[in-house]
Each structure stands twice: as C-alpha cells, then as structure tokens.
Amino acid sequence: VSQSVELSAILAKMHERTRRLGGWGFEGETVEPSPRMLDWLRSNVGAPGPAVRDNSFPVTLPEPRPLPRLPIAVETTARDRLLHARGQGLIDIIRLRSRTVPAVPDVVVDPVSGLAVFGPGTTGPEVEAALAERGFTLGHFPQSWELATVGGWAATRSSGQESLGYGRIEDLVAGMEIVAPAARWRLHTQPASAAGPDLHRLIMGSEGRLGVITEVTVRARPKPETTAVQAFLAPDLERGLEAVRTLTLSPLPLSMLRLSDAPETAVAMAIGLADSPFAGLARNYLRLRGIGDEACLMLVGASGSGRTVRTALRGAASVLSRVRAVSLGRGPGRHWLRDRFRHPYLREALLDLGWATDTLETAVPWSRAVECRAAVRRALETALESDGERAAVLCHISHPYVDGTSLYFTFFFRTADDPDATIERWARLKRAASDALVSVGATITHHHGIGSWHAPWLETEIGEAGIALVGDAARTMDPEGLINPHVLLDPTDRLRE
Ligand SMILES: Cc1cc2nc3c(=O)[nH]c(=O)nc-3n(C[C@H](O)[C@H](O)[C@H](O)COP(=O)(O)OP(=O)(O)OC[C@H]3O[C@@H](n4cnc5c(N)ncnc54)[C@H](O)[C@@H]3O)c2cc1C
C-alpha cells in the first residue's frame, strides 16, 4: 500500500462521511480493540470500570441567544452546535457522551476553502486534494489530519508525522490574516525576512486568544513519487535513541523517524506479530540476534523518487546495524501507513468497555530524554495509587531534532463510577505528569498546545515577562478579552471542567 494509494482512498470517501458526535472520526467507522489488547489491559490496568456509552444525541438544547445579523450563513442545528461545543480530548468526549457539556455555542459559522491560500476551516484531506490537482503536497500529516483544519494547525503549532522531512507547521505557513475585535491584520508572505521580530510566530500558537486566523498561505512542495517506511528492532531504548540521534544529524533525506519504548513495542508486537503463524520462529530468530524483552520498534520513513527512498533507507539500515538493530522489512511500515489515522478511533471503543486512554507529549534535549521518560512514567503509574488504581504507560519518539526530541506518552486507566469521578482520575494523572515535565525542564507541550488545561504551567516555561508580552498582544487585538478568554493566559486549573 503506497502512501498515495492510502491517501487517495481517504480523499475519495471524504464527501460520503458524516462526522461522529460522541467520539473521534466518522459515523459507522470504529476500530475495535483486539482480544490481545484487552488481555494486556486486564493484566496491566485491571478489570474494566463502568462503560462510558455514547448518549450524546439526540438532545434538546436551549434556543440560541439572539445574535447580530451576520453577513454569512450560520448553522443552528443541535448536532452542529454540539459538534463545536467541545474539543476532542478524552474529557470532552466523556462530557459529550454523558450529556454533561456545560455550554454550547449559539451558532456555527460556515467554513470557506481555497487553493494554496486556504480558508481556516479547510481540513487535511481537503488541503491535500486541492494541492494534488497541481501535483503538490503540504506534507503535513498530524494524526488528526482527517478532521483538523489549516486554521487550527496554525493556531496550535501542530506537527505532522513526517515533520523530520517537511518541518512543523511553523515552517510550512508563509502568511496569514487574523481578525480580532480591534484589528484586521495581514502578515505578508516572504520567503525570509529580517524585518524585526517574526510576528508570524506570535500568531502561530496563539490558539485564538489574539484573534481568528481567517486565511493561511502555505508552502506546498511537489508531491513525492513514493513514500516508504521500513521497520527495525533496536536491542534497547538507549541504543534506539543513539540511532535516532545519529540519523537525525546525518544528511540522509529521511522524512520520519519513530522509536517506541519496550512496553509500546511489546503491545505492538502482541497485537501484530503474535497473530502470525511465524511468531514463535520470529521470536527465536530475534533472540539469536540479541533482540529480547527490551527491544524497541523503530520506523524509518523516506519520501521522494524511488531512488532517493532506496538510498535513504539503505543509509539508515547501515547506521542501525551499528547499534545491532535488526530489520523487519517494509511490511510493518505498510501497515502503519495504512492505519495511521485510524489509531485514535480505539479510544471510544475502550470507553464503551470501561477503560479510558489519553495521550500527552513533550520535548527535551537529548541529554534529558531518558530521565524525562522515567519521570513521566513514574508520575503516571503512581498518581492513582492511593485509590488502589493503576495506570499503564507507553512511550515513543516521533519528532526528532538536532538538539533533542519529542516524547509521546499514551496512558490507560479504569473508568470510575460516574463521569465526574473518571474525569477526576484523569485530572490527577494529568497534573502529576505535567508537574513531572516541569521538574525535568521539559516543555509542557510539544504539539498539542496550551489550551486551558496546560495554562497553569505556561508561566513556568515562558516566564513572567513572556506572559506579560502575550497579554499585551492580546489586549491590543482584543481589549475586552472576548475571544477564547480561558486559553493560554488564564492560569486557573480547569482540568476538571
Ligand atoms: C486524535 C487526535 C490526534 C492528534 N494528533 C496530532 C498530531 O499528530 N500532531 C499535532 O500537532 N496535533 C495533534 N492533535 C491535536 C490537534 O488536532 C492539532 O493541534 C490541530 O492542529 C488542531 O486543529 P483543529 O482544527 O482540530 O483545531 P481545534 O481543536 O478546533 O482548535 C484548537 C484551538 O485552536 C483555536 N483555533 C482553531 N481554529 C482557529 C482559527 N482559525 N483561528 C484562531 N484560533 C483557532 C481553537 O479556538 C482552539 O483553542 C491531535 C488531536 C486528536 C484529537
């Protein structure tokens, strides 16, 4: 399955799909956990808690409040208003499913799309479809690609799975228009500039607090002939990290490097390899090659002409052989490319069964990566101990840089007796992990953004002067503080809301 076949299938189905309300993705499309995954959860987290079933719809909402006449069409159906009432975090979904959403918008303004210069509501598949007509790609594929928008990417500084090759959204956005109560501001497109501080970067990451991004100009590139991903097993995390760092610093034209820790590898192998009739043979062969229980799965991706891809993957294999990693070929990479936007659908299937799962992410210099992973794991694994509850934690690296790397954590826990108690469990896990990140000097977020949940930790990261500067910018654009008042700058702990 080449990447272009996989993307074309998504694009072809795009207009037939209806967005799901009480969960990620589209109606009628679910991903069920395998029996092996359920066994793993039972032994690592415990028997499931109460199911959190989807009771989000139908529902009767209060009538929209009267609004001034708007020059464009607006949607007022209960479904549209609920779809835009919350985000896509775990507690947003619990609130929607249990009908405990505290507030819903009065109306939803229709999105507008364009070519190369995109309207803010243009989704990932729409961006790629428009660019593909001219033989281009943006190369920005966050896991939320099917539903996330260009405006949202810029507002939250998102990072695609192939950021090693294409860069983060900061590198891909060339110009923007932003509209706020006190200003309509156009940041012009220049290939590079030394005209004072880079104000594009002030807007990117402003999460709507400085205004609404109404137009985004992106830097597209010629669509690559092919994308391939090859899998390897490194003997342990230290050697895997060493290989990722060496490859990142090398001139090889790689588009993606991903390294799972041993627990995440064990889960991936239990779900994938264990179903193969050759599982026993494969395990024995790997043990002979020095790959045991500490093995860490690596995915190495390259995009370009067939020749470029072959050269890049051959070069990577040679670096990896130096840390005694073993190649698993391109099969696991093909599966990963095919399923990469489907993994988040599992969250809702687990809620139906009584387990909750969420993710968090950070970035640290290379020298602190091992310490950071250990601190966050410890914090998550022990946060619910006083209630006799466990959390299971998996970790991977997916965005390496010259000076450091991202770390991405997935954690699982049992749901509690009611939605508020489940959210309270989640809040304790989240606070413990956030404190651990700050204690090791890691960023509070590498790509999910600050929002309101991370806002209490922002000042520790950017300092009093940083908060004052962003606050001044917000006052200039929106003197009465009307837009997204609780994101970024409001330090109230809202983890339970
Ligand atoms: C399942 C899942 C997987 C994800 N995977 C990734 C990933 O791989 N990489 C990654 O970087 N992120 C990921 N995310 C996080 C998120 O999807 C991204 O940060 C994305 O950029 C958000 O875009 P959105 O359109 O969904 O914005 P929303 O979630 O709708 O909004 C996010 C924030 O930005 C503000 N905002 C949105 N549009 C605008 C605008 N036009 N102008 C001003 N403010 C605006 C909103 O008010 C809100 O505060 C994931 C999220 C989920 C739920």
XYZ file of all heavy atoms in Angstrom, residues 30-93:
495
model
N -15.526 2.385 13.250
C -14.945 2.175 14.575
C -13.718 1.285 14.434
O -13.550 0.605 13.425
C -15.947 1.461 15.522
O -16.406 0.285 14.870
C -17.122 2.351 15.873
N -12.872 1.334 15.421
C -11.737 0.409 15.481
C -11.869 -0.321 16.801
O -11.868 0.316 17.859
C -10.396 1.164 15.404
C -9.239 0.221 15.669
C -10.239 1.825 14.038
N -12.052 -1.622 16.765
C -12.265 -2.384 17.991
C -10.925 -2.910 18.501
O -10.081 -3.314 17.718
C -13.205 -3.570 17.730
C -14.605 -3.151 17.281
C -15.315 -2.261 18.293
O -15.114 -2.468 19.503
O -16.052 -1.341 17.878
N -10.747 -2.908 19.836
C -9.501 -3.479 20.374
C -9.481 -4.990 20.151
O -10.525 -5.637 20.224
C -9.586 -3.159 21.872
C -11.030 -2.908 22.143
C -11.658 -2.427 20.863
N -8.304 -5.539 19.887
C -8.204 -6.988 19.654
C -8.278 -7.706 21.004
O -8.014 -7.103 22.052
C -6.878 -7.297 18.975
O -5.842 -7.027 19.892
N -8.613 -9.004 21.021
C -8.630 -9.754 22.291
C -7.293 -9.647 23.036
O -7.251 -9.548 24.251
C -8.900 -11.193 21.838
C -9.605 -11.047 20.519
C -9.049 -9.815 19.884
N -6.174 -9.606 22.269
C -4.866 -9.491 22.928
C -4.706 -8.161 23.636
O -4.118 -8.060 24.701
C -3.735 -9.649 21.909
C -3.535 -11.055 21.519
C -2.462 -11.175 20.456
N -2.556 -12.446 19.813
C -2.160 -13.575 20.356
N -1.599 -13.570 21.551
N -2.304 -14.709 19.717
N -5.217 -7.126 23.029
C -5.151 -5.795 23.656
C -5.973 -5.809 24.951
O -5.556 -5.255 25.971
C -5.728 -4.784 22.662
C -5.975 -3.428 23.237
S -4.811 -2.290 22.550
C -4.787 -0.995 23.726
N -7.147 -6.444 24.918
C -7.987 -6.497 26.118
C -7.286 -7.288 27.224
O -7.304 -6.879 28.385
C -9.353 -7.124 25.785
C -10.166 -6.363 24.732
C -11.518 -7.018 24.518
C -10.360 -4.903 25.125
N -6.614 -8.388 26.853
C -5.858 -9.166 27.853
C -4.768 -8.304 28.467
O -4.535 -8.311 29.668
C -5.180 -10.387 27.200
C -6.202 -11.440 26.844
O -7.350 -11.333 27.324
O -5.853 -12.356 26.066
N -4.089 -7.541 27.587
C -3.000 -6.681 28.065
C -3.543 -5.645 29.056
O -2.963 -5.399 30.104
C -2.344 -5.990 26.863
C -1.204 -5.106 27.252
C 0.086 -5.470 27.470
C -1.267 -3.691 27.491
N 0.828 -4.378 27.820
C 0.036 -3.270 27.844
C -2.278 -2.744 27.451
C 0.341 -1.955 28.154
C -1.980 -1.426 27.752
C -0.682 -1.040 28.102
N -4.703 -5.056 28.738
C -5.292 -4.048 29.628
C -5.698 -4.679 30.956
O -5.453 -4.113 32.019
C -6.511 -3.406 28.959
C -6.175 -2.349 27.909
C -7.397 -2.019 27.072
C -5.656 -1.079 28.580
N -6.314 -5.884 30.900
C -6.740 -6.549 32.146
C -5.540 -6.785 33.045
O -5.597 -6.537 34.239
C -7.420 -7.877 31.841
C -8.873 -7.667 31.527
C -9.694 -8.940 31.501
N -10.921 -8.613 30.820
C -11.139 -8.780 29.520
N -10.223 -9.317 28.761
N -12.272 -8.381 28.971
N -4.398 -7.230 32.472
C -3.273 -7.505 33.370
C -2.489 -6.256 33.745
O -1.861 -6.244 34.791
C -2.354 -8.599 32.822
O -2.195 -8.460 31.471
N -2.532 -5.186 32.954
C -1.731 -4.004 33.303
C -2.514 -2.898 33.979
O -1.930 -2.037 34.635
C -1.053 -3.441 32.055
C 0.097 -4.301 31.607
O 1.194 -4.177 32.119
N -0.172 -5.212 30.698
N -3.828 -2.848 33.804
C -4.640 -1.775 34.394
C -5.690 -2.356 35.341
O -6.066 -1.726 36.324
C -5.349 -0.947 33.285
C -6.080 0.226 33.870
C -4.343 -0.460 32.245
N -6.180 -3.567 35.062
C -7.220 -4.173 35.890
C -8.488 -4.358 35.085
O -8.583 -3.913 33.940
N -9.489 -5.014 35.717
C -10.772 -5.247 35.029
C -11.391 -3.908 34.658
O -11.147 -2.906 35.336
C -11.700 -6.013 35.956
N -12.191 -3.836 33.579
C -12.723 -2.538 33.166
C -13.654 -1.924 34.207
O -14.262 -2.638 35.002
C -13.506 -2.861 31.887
C -13.771 -4.323 31.943
C -12.648 -4.935 32.707
N -13.753 -0.584 34.187
C -14.725 0.119 35.030
C -16.057 0.151 34.287
O -16.253 -0.578 33.313
N -16.984 1.044 34.732
C -18.270 1.129 34.040
C -18.089 1.657 32.613
O -17.262 2.542 32.379
C -19.068 2.136 34.873
C -18.310 2.306 36.143
C -16.898 1.940 35.900
N -18.861 1.115 31.669
C -18.771 1.570 30.273
C -19.216 3.031 30.186
O -20.136 3.449 30.886
C -19.671 0.708 29.406
N -18.530 3.819 29.350
C -18.957 5.212 29.122
C -19.592 5.239 27.743
O -18.952 5.548 26.740
C -17.756 6.184 29.194
C -18.225 7.634 29.077
C -16.986 5.996 30.493
N -20.867 4.879 27.662
C -21.519 4.736 26.365
C -21.883 6.087 25.778
O -21.994 7.074 26.493
C -22.775 3.884 26.512
C -22.450 2.494 26.967
C -23.118 1.452 26.099
N -22.818 0.126 26.629
C -21.816 -0.616 26.217
N -21.027 -0.216 25.254
N -21.585 -1.802 26.763
N -22.091 6.083 24.466
C -22.350 7.348 23.761
C -23.841 7.712 23.825
O -24.649 7.197 23.073
C -21.892 7.195 22.301
C -22.016 8.502 21.543
O -22.443 9.497 22.171
O -21.676 8.528 20.354
N -24.171 8.624 24.751
C -25.559 9.104 24.853
C -25.642 10.566 24.427
O -26.449 11.332 24.931
C -26.054 8.992 26.300
C -26.219 7.552 26.702
O -26.730 6.753 25.914
N -25.755 7.184 27.876
N -24.735 10.959 23.506
C -24.626 12.387 23.188
C -25.836 12.921 22.424
O -26.154 14.102 22.511
C -23.361 12.637 22.378
O -23.326 11.774 21.265
N -26.531 12.072 21.688
C -27.554 12.535 20.771
C -28.666 11.500 20.698
O -28.380 10.314 20.817
C -26.921 12.720 19.381
C -27.580 13.741 18.529
C -27.460 15.089 18.809
C -28.353 13.337 17.448
C -28.068 16.037 18.002
C -28.963 14.284 16.641
C -28.821 15.637 16.917
N -29.951 11.843 20.495
C -30.473 13.198 20.350
C -30.582 13.916 21.691
O -30.680 13.290 22.731
C -31.856 12.958 19.751
C -32.233 11.585 20.201
C -30.970 10.813 20.357
N -30.565 15.217 21.626
C -30.616 16.037 22.832
C -31.350 17.331 22.498
O -31.318 17.792 21.354
C -29.167 16.299 23.322
C -28.400 17.126 22.345
C -29.139 16.942 24.674
N -32.038 17.899 23.493
C -32.707 19.183 23.245
C -31.853 20.289 23.859
O -31.571 20.254 25.060
C -34.104 19.194 23.907
O -34.767 17.990 23.516
C -34.904 20.406 23.476
N -31.421 21.221 23.037
C -30.579 22.312 23.536
C -31.418 23.565 23.719
O -32.442 23.733 23.041
C -29.463 22.618 22.526
C -28.458 21.518 22.259
C -27.424 21.989 21.241
C -27.752 21.117 23.544
N -30.985 24.476 24.622
C -31.697 25.752 24.732
C -31.642 26.495 23.394
O -30.676 26.342 22.640
C -30.928 26.517 25.806
C -29.717 25.707 26.118
C -29.844 24.356 25.501
N -32.653 27.268 23.100
C -32.668 28.062 21.853
C -31.431 28.954 21.804
O -30.981 29.446 22.846
C -33.904 28.969 21.840
C -35.187 28.263 21.464
C -35.146 27.719 20.048
O -34.869 28.513 19.130
O -35.345 26.493 19.872
N -30.838 29.178 20.600
C -29.691 30.108 20.522
C -30.109 31.502 20.980
O -31.233 31.913 20.728
C -29.342 30.130 19.038
C -30.121 29.056 18.395
C -31.214 28.638 19.300
N -29.168 32.193 21.650
C -29.471 33.584 22.035
C -29.508 34.447 20.779
O -28.845 34.118 19.787
C -28.389 34.108 22.991
C -28.473 33.476 24.362
C -27.237 33.753 25.150
N -26.048 33.201 24.470
C -24.815 33.309 24.935
N -24.580 33.951 26.046
N -23.804 32.789 24.265
N -30.267 35.562 20.796
C -30.320 36.413 19.593
C -28.934 36.962 19.280
O -28.205 37.368 20.184
C -31.273 37.541 19.989
C -31.772 37.236 21.346
C -31.044 36.068 21.919
N -28.561 36.921 17.991
C -27.238 37.409 17.584
C -27.407 38.537 16.591
O -28.452 38.626 15.924
C -26.473 36.288 16.886
C -25.891 35.201 17.756
C -25.300 34.121 16.875
C -24.801 35.756 18.662
N -26.407 39.412 16.460
C -26.495 40.431 15.397
C -26.568 39.728 14.043
O -26.124 38.591 13.906
C -25.187 41.210 15.530
C -24.319 40.402 16.411
C -25.175 39.468 17.195
N -27.121 40.401 13.032
C -27.199 39.787 11.706
C -25.786 39.582 11.152
O -24.989 40.521 11.130
C -27.987 40.699 10.765
C -29.233 40.010 10.221
C -30.197 41.070 9.740
N -29.696 41.670 8.501
C -29.994 41.174 7.299
N -30.751 40.111 7.183
N -29.547 41.773 6.215
N -25.470 38.335 10.745
C -24.135 38.051 10.215
C -24.199 37.998 8.695
O -25.212 37.569 8.136
C -23.627 36.711 10.773
C -23.414 36.666 12.289
C -23.164 35.243 12.751
C -22.245 37.555 12.691
N -23.111 38.440 8.019
C -23.160 38.511 6.563
C -22.996 37.149 5.886
O -22.856 37.075 4.684
C -21.972 39.427 6.229
C -21.036 39.254 7.369
C -21.851 38.915 8.577
N -22.951 36.056 6.643
C -22.778 34.722 6.058
C -23.754 33.750 6.702
O -24.323 34.049 7.751
C -21.339 34.193 6.302
C -20.875 34.629 7.679
C -20.395 34.583 5.219
C -19.549 34.080 8.040
N -23.878 32.581 6.051
C -24.810 31.579 6.573
C -24.296 31.021 7.893
O -23.082 30.908 8.095
C -24.935 30.456 5.558
N -25.223 30.676 8.804
C -24.821 30.041 10.063
C -25.658 28.794 10.278
O -26.766 28.677 9.763
C -24.989 30.985 11.282
C -24.016 32.128 11.218
C -26.424 31.474 11.407
N -25.076 27.838 11.028
C -25.801 26.606 11.353
C -26.310 26.702 12.777
O -25.586 27.130 13.681
C -24.843 25.402 11.267
C -24.183 25.203 9.928
C -25.150 24.715 8.862
O -26.291 24.345 9.221
O -24.768 24.713 7.680
N -27.574 26.272 12.992
C -28.116 26.333 14.361
C -28.685 24.985 14.816
O -29.331 24.920 15.851
C -29.244 27.394 14.456
O -30.205 27.085 13.440
C -28.735 28.797 14.292
N -28.425 23.906 14.047
C -28.987 22.615 14.472
C -28.263 22.158 15.741
O -27.097 22.498 15.971
C -28.806 21.523 13.399
O -27.408 21.274 13.264
C -29.396 21.948 12.068
N -28.989 21.354 16.545
C -28.396 20.856 17.798
C -27.112 20.086 17.497
O -26.119 20.185 18.211
C -29.398 19.963 18.508
N -27.115 19.310 16.403
C -25.947 18.496 16.056
C -24.729 19.374 15.777
O -23.645 19.146 16.306
C -26.294 17.644 14.835
C -25.383 16.502 14.679
C -25.821 15.521 13.622
N -25.010 14.344 13.776
C -23.716 14.312 13.509
N -23.121 15.375 13.041
N -23.013 13.221 13.709
N -24.918 20.410 14.934
C -23.797 21.304 14.617
C -23.295 22.037 15.855
O -22.088 22.198 16.056
C -24.216 22.324 13.555
C -24.203 21.711 12.170
O -23.189 21.090 11.824
O -25.211 21.818 11.461
N -24.233 22.471 16.694
C -23.822 23.222 17.896
C -23.053 22.304 18.853
O -22.043 22.700 19.423
C -25.053 23.843 18.560
C -25.642 24.965 17.699
C -27.006 25.378 18.203
N -26.917 25.976 19.518
C -27.968 26.083 20.356
N -29.155 25.631 19.993
N -27.823 26.654 21.529
N -23.526 21.056 19.000
C -22.815 20.120 19.886
C -21.444 19.753 19.327
O -20.466 19.642 20.071
C -23.631 18.841 20.066
C -24.653 18.841 21.190
C -25.411 17.528 21.203
C -24.001 19.073 22.552
N -21.372 19.583 17.991
C -20.085 19.239 17.369
C -19.014 20.276 17.673
O -17.829 19.973 17.703
C -20.253 19.136 15.850
C -20.462 17.761 15.243
C -20.688 17.882 13.752
C -19.269 16.840 15.508
N -19.438 21.514 17.882
C -18.476 22.587 18.131
C -18.449 23.036 19.590
O -17.851 24.053 19.919
C -18.769 23.771 17.201
C -18.489 23.445 15.766
N -19.385 22.785 14.976
C -17.378 23.641 15.008
C -18.865 22.599 13.765
N -17.646 23.111 13.766
N -19.112 22.246 20.475
C -19.182 22.668 21.883
C -17.896 22.346 22.636
O -17.538 23.030 23.581
C -20.362 21.980 22.564
N -17.217 21.270 22.241
C -16.015 20.861 22.950
C -14.959 20.450 21.930
O -15.247 20.368 20.741
C -16.293 19.629 23.846
C -17.327 19.778 24.917
C -16.884 20.588 26.105
N -15.709 20.100 26.788
C -15.490 20.296 28.086
N -16.365 20.925 28.840
N -14.371 19.885 28.659
N -13.747 20.174 22.420
C -12.695 19.697 21.528
C -12.740 18.185 21.410
O -13.822 17.590 21.499
N -11.571 17.563 21.244
C -11.511 16.109 21.036
C -10.661 15.425 22.104
O -10.157 14.332 21.889
C -10.955 15.809 19.640
C -11.893 16.163 18.526
C -13.083 15.214 18.436
O -13.011 14.061 18.834
N -14.207 15.717 17.939
N -10.502 16.110 23.257
C -9.761 15.473 24.345
C -10.622 14.414 25.010
O -11.849 14.374 24.811
N -9.976 13.551 25.837
C -10.720 12.478 26.499
C -11.894 13.030 27.298
O -13.013 12.532 27.217
C -9.769 11.689 27.415
C -10.443 10.662 28.323
C -11.062 9.538 27.506
C -9.447 10.095 29.319
N -11.671 14.116 28.069
C -12.781 14.572 28.923
C -13.859 15.268 28.102
O -15.017 15.268 28.470
C -12.320 15.408 30.146
C -11.872 16.789 29.757
C -11.275 14.687 30.943
C -11.767 17.687 30.977
N -13.485 15.850 26.950
C -14.520 16.411 26.057
C -15.480 15.304 25.635
O -16.697 15.479 25.610
C -13.882 17.014 24.801
C -12.950 18.166 25.133
O -13.271 18.930 26.049
O -11.902 18.285 24.477
N -14.913 14.142 25.302
C -15.730 13.020 24.814
C -16.586 12.465 25.956
O -17.764 12.160 25.780
C -14.814 11.930 24.206
C -14.046 12.505 23.001
C -15.610 10.702 23.788
C -14.915 13.084 21.896
